[in-house]
Amino acid sequence: MKKETKQYTAEHQPLDDKKISYYELAVYFAAAKAQEEEFRWENFIDNLSYICDKYASHIQANNASHLGL
């Protein structure tokens, strides 16, 4: 079996090999939602803010479980 010798940069790395952070995922979701609404930066920022606020609220509500306490 031949080993793959391609070198990938972070931008061109296959998705199955790349771990996406929660913030990157939030950016993708916010952009997709803004695109549905005829992409405007105001919509993108509002969507990203909403997603981050919801995530922060979830972390705060479940603080003990995330800190291993």
Side-chain angles (χ1 to χ4, degrees):
M1 192 184 294
K2 184 178 178 182
K3 184 178 179 182
E4 187 174 336
T5 59
K6 278 187 181 178
Q7 295 291 328
Y8 293 104
T9 63
E11 296 168 352
H12 296 97
Q13 189 173 7
L15 288 178
D16 55 343
D17 292 341
K18 183 178 180 182
K19 293 183 181 179
I20 297 175
S21 72
Y22 289 125
Y23 185 74
E24 285 178 300
L25 192 56
V27 169
Y28 294 139
F29 284 140
K33 182 67 175 164
Q35 188 66 35
E36 291 174 2
E37 303 163 348
E38 296 183 25
F39 191 90
R40 291 191 347 227
W41 284 108
E42 297 86 8
N43 292 342
F44 170 75
I45 297 298
D46 288 345
N47 293 336
L48 185 58
S49 177
Y50 176 80
I51 292 168
C52 290
D53 286 346
K54 286 293 186 180
Y55 181 70
S57 295
H58 175 76
I59 294 295
Q60 186 177 20
N62 297 304
N63 195 16
S65 66
H66 289 289
L67 295 176
L69 299 175

